[in-house]
């Protein structure tokens, strides 16, 4: 059984031109480039994934949609001035890297990281339920969130 935090951590590592796969038997997560093959080990991993039905592809960066997470975060801010400032930047469609730099200057980076972590946990629970993958919530901090998300997504 895979720890849901491992899946959420893999979501955090998602990059363009890379796919990540979960081995549902071992819980191992492997990443493979779409564009380049670095060495024979990469080819071996790809062959293993292709011939073994135990691998399921994790969502890519477009499916995870960090921009949408930032919009939700901005709307969740209680401080009206911060909320309007961040929403204004989002409406200008500036790059995510620039937005993160602005959040640092506004002093809300830590809040955003926690918000994003919770969103990735939510998406991880939803993804596991969609793919009938058993998972555990080993951390007591996450256990209540897992239960809430499981009830929310499991009843749809």
């Amino acid at each position: 059984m895979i720890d849901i935090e491992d899946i959420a951590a893999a979501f955090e590592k998602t990059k363009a031109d890379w796919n990540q796969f979960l081995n549902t038997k071992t819980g191992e997560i492997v990443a493979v480039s779409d564009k380049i093959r670095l060495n024979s080990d990469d080819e071996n991993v790809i062959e293993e994934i292709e011939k073994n039905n135990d691998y399921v592809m994790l969502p890519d960066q477009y499916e995870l949609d960090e921009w949408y997470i930032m919009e939700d975060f901005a709307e969740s801010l209680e401080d009206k001035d911060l909320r309007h400032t961040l929403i204004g930047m989002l409406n200008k469609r500036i790059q995510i890297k620039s937005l993160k730099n602005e959040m640092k200057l506004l002093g809300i980076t830590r809040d955003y990281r926690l918000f994003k972590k919770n969103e990735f946990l939510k998406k991880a629970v939803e993804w596991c339920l969609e793919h009938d993958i058993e998972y555990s919530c080993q951390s007591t901090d996450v256990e209540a969130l897992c239960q809430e998300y499981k009830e929310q997504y499991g009843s749809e």
Side-chain angles (χ1 to χ4, degrees), residues 42-150:
D42 288 342
E43 292 300 328
N44 292 340
V45 169
I46 292 166
E47 286 177 27
E48 177 69 19
I49 289 168
E50 289 174 350
K51 74 178 185 179
N52 189 329
N53 292 331
D54 294 336
Y55 285 92
V56 180
M57 189 165 75
L58 294 174
D60 63 21
Q61 70 178 27
Y62 302 105
E63 293 171 286
L64 294 171
D65 198 357
E66 187 172 358
W67 191 269
Y68 181 75
I69 292 171
M70 283 190 171
E71 288 176 334
D72 282 352
F73 172 70
E75 291 172 10
S76 76
L77 292 171
E78 291 181 16
D79 183 306
K80 183 178 161 184
D81 293 334
L82 281 176
R83 184 173 58 248
H84 287 295
T85 299
L86 193 52
I87 289 172
M89 287 187 284
L90 286 162
N91 288 338
K92 291 178 185 174
R93 305 300 281 181
I94 64 176
Q95 292 183 345
I96 285 181
K97 185 176 182 179
S98 297
L99 279 169
K100 287 180 178 180
N101 287 336
E102 288 297 322
M103 282 194 265
K104 186 176 183 179
L105 293 173
L106 294 169
I108 56 176
T109 300
R110 189 172 176 206
D111 295 334
Y112 175 68
R113 285 186 186 145
L114 180 60
F115 186 89
K116 186 169 91 168
K117 177 183 177 184
N118 288 339
E119 288 299 303
F120 280 168
L121 285 167
K122 189 186 305 182
K123 288 175 182 275
V125 169
E126 183 178 12
W127 182 83
C128 284
L129 291 171
E130 285 175 4
H131 292 87
D132 295 320
I133 295 171
E134 289 188 41
Y135 63 91
S136 65
C137 301
Q138 296 181 9
S139 165
T140 52
D141 319 358
V142 175
E143 201 169 350
L145 287 174
C146 283
Q147 188 59 39
E148 177 186 332
Y149 299 152
K150 185 175 183 176

